[in-house]
Amino acid sequence: MTTVLETDGLERRFGKLLAVDDVTVSIDSDDVTSIIGPNGAGKTTFYNLLSGRLDPTGGTVRLRPTDGTDTVDITGMEPFEINRKGLSRAFQINNIFEGLTVMDNMRIARISRDGRMRDIRTVARDDEELTEEAWEIIEMVGLEDVAETECANLSHGDKRKVEIALSLGTDPSVVLLDEPTAGMNANETEKMVDLIRELNEQTDTTFVITEHDMGVVLGISDRILVLDGGELIADGTPDEVMQDEQVREAYLGGEA
């Protein structure tokens, strides 16, 4: 296994509140890792520190870039810089261009990866290589039938697929998925879990997930990290974590 993302003594304070408290973890390339915890546990703050939306008040974050070279210190970098290094994030609230088609959204993602500046109204429609690359990702997430549909007209489940496709569009080494099944019915949830499993097997991308649905967490995770009060209180396989007494008290006894 190869470490693709690691933190050392990561900390974030908001005044007197210690939202992330001395968290040290190493994420392995072969694992689907889920991060769980009750409300106020520090999950969102932790994600924001990893992706550059917040600066830590202590500690470091290191990422193995997409090119596979040694890990680099990304602490305090701007989100777009971290994205170009190889860490992408799919948000719980869809972060897509709803007035554009699925294909045009994907063309924009590929343009962003290359750092090219173009008028997004044209979306490089005459660039055959760009279109081919976009189509490969559309096929990967199963959106072929709606490729030319405006995203505003998609179902909730398909919008979530577009969000994941956009996160893959920059060829990341790590993707952070934020509540990927939020708002989905049972059938949509099952399809999303299957998709994440397939993407994990078919790509070199490592997936890290925050998720409230424990059925999803237990069904998809190789490893689970548990936060409570900003501290990492457990780290292990699903079986190990579910048998941890501290986890039962802090998480299962509070929020399902």
Side-chain angles (χ1 to χ4, degrees):
M1 290 189 182
T2 302
T3 297
V4 291
L5 181 65
E6 56 188 337
T7 67
D8 184 12
L10 197 63
E11 175 186 296
R12 173 68 194 202
R13 289 182 178 273
F14 296 96
K16 294 182 179 180
L17 173 66
L18 190 54
V20 172
D21 183 4
D22 192 27
V23 174
T24 298
V25 297
S26 294
I27 305 297
D28 293 325
S29 59
D30 293 342
D31 289 342
V32 175
T33 301
S34 290
I35 302 172
I36 67 172
N39 285 333
K43 303 185 299 295
T44 299
T45 301
F46 185 64
Y47 255 29
N48 286 338
L49 293 172
L50 297 179
S51 58
R53 294 173 69 86
L54 283 174
D55 290 334
T57 49
T60 59
V61 182
R62 297 186 65 85
L63 172 73
R64 186 172 299 277
T66 303
D67 60 14
T69 54
D70 289 340
T71 59
V72 296
D73 189 340
I74 60 170
T75 312
M77 285 186 180
E78 293 292 330
F80 76 91
E81 295 175 312
I82 291 175
N83 182 268
R84 288 181 181 172
K85 288 292 183 184
L87 186 144
S88 188
R89 180 175 177 180
F91 290 85
Q92 179 179 354
I93 300 173
N94 288 315
N95 191 28
I96 60 181
F97 296 101
E98 296 224 350
L100 299 179
T101 66
V102 173
M103 175 60 79
D104 284 349
N105 267 269
M106 287 312 306
R107 288 190 180 105
I108 290 173
R110 300 305 284 181
I111 290 170
S112 173
R113 176 206 59 171
D114 296 336
R116 290 184 279 173
M117 299 299 292
R118 298 218 185 177
D119 182 346
I120 65 171
R121 290 171 297 181
T122 64
V123 204
R125 291 174 181 271
D126 58 343
D127 190 324
E128 292 183 6
E129 181 180 356
L130 192 71
T131 299
E132 183 177 339
E133 292 173 351
W135 185 255
E136 287 177 0
I137 298 175
I138 287 172
E139 288 184 317
M140 195 181 298
V141 299
L143 288 170
E144 304 97 309
D145 292 344
V146 293
E148 297 302 331
T149 300
E150 283 192 10
C151 289
N153 298 323
L154 296 178
S155 68
H156 175 68
D158 281 346
K159 286 181 180 179
R160 294 298 285 148
K161 285 185 178 180
V162 174
E163 180 75 26
I164 291 175
L166 288 174
S167 70
L168 293 171
T170 54
D171 293 335
S173 55
V174 177
V175 168
L176 306 180
L177 297 179
D178 189 358
E179 302 285 351
T181 66
M184 292 186 178
N185 60 38
N187 184 52
E188 289 174 326
T189 294
E190 183 178 354
K191 288 181 178 179
M192 178 57 70
V193 169
D194 289 343
L195 174 61
I196 295 170
R197 284 200 191 105
E198 290 171 7
L199 292 173
N200 183 61
E201 293 172 0
Q202 295 172 4
T203 71
D204 293 329
T205 300
T206 300
F207 292 90
V208 181
I209 300 166
T210 60
E211 179 61 61
H212 281 85
D213 187 326
M214 288 305 298
V216 171
V217 171
L218 296 175
I220 202 171
S221 307
D222 299 300
R223 179 184 178 193
I224 300 175
L225 307 176
V226 187
L227 293 175
D228 184 41
E231 295 184 52
L232 182 68
I233 64 168
D235 176 0
T237 66
D239 285 344
E240 290 169 344
V241 167
M242 289 302 99
Q243 293 170 11
D244 188 292
E245 184 176 346
Q246 194 174 5
V247 172
R248 289 177 179 275
E249 292 177 359
Y251 184 78
L252 298 178
E255 176 186 65

